[in-house]
Amino acid sequence: MSTSTEPAPHSQTGRPAPRVSHAPYRREPYIRCRMVGLGVDGKAVAWTRTHVLVHWIDDDARAHNRWVHAAAVVRIRRDDSAWRDPYDDFEFYYAHASPQPAGAAS
């Protein structure tokens, strides 16, 4: 996980904006978000102490990004997600799995 540099002041309040953190590209944690009007499996692409930027692609192949309260988000395993990013870093998500020999039954 990496953290952004010193936050800039918020344009409306003059106070520093919350520090935003990000996972390495294509290694974002999978999440399940359940709240009124929203129920999706996706990825947490950024987060603060109170909010998570949820990314997912819907059934019509449209990408969505929405900030939601952190309390509405739980982390899940990639295999438990209804949506999976086809561009994931597979070695990161499956580092514990040993490679199967060619022709081996699963």
Side-chain angles (χ1 to χ4, degrees):
M1 173 177 34
S2 64
T3 304
S4 63
T5 59
E6 190 63 32
H10 190 277
S11 61
Q12 294 175 346
T13 64
R15 292 182 296 188
R19 195 173 291 271
V20 177
S21 298
H22 302 264
Y25 185 60
R26 297 297 178 206
R27 295 181 174 190
E28 299 91 347
Y30 277 86
I31 57 88
R32 181 162 289 144
C33 179
R34 300 285 185 247
M35 55 186 285
V36 176
L38 179 66
V40 298
D41 288 356
K43 283 184 154 185
V45 296
W47 54 89
T48 68
R49 291 183 59 204
T50 59
H51 289 80
V52 177
L53 179 58
V54 178
H55 168 78
W56 76 98
I57 297 178
D58 66 20
D59 294 337
D60 296 323
R62 289 182 299 215
H64 299 271
N65 293 286
R66 184 179 300 175
W67 284 101
V68 298
H69 288 282
V73 175
V74 294
R75 189 171 179 161
I76 60 174
R77 294 176 339 124
R78 183 180 191 273
D79 290 341
D80 294 336
S81 178
W83 171 76
R84 293 187 193 116
D85 188 339
Y87 300 106
D88 282 338
D89 178 346
F90 291 102
E91 289 182 22
F92 170 76
Y93 289 101
Y94 300 110
H96 63 282
S98 59
Q100 294 287 329
S106 330

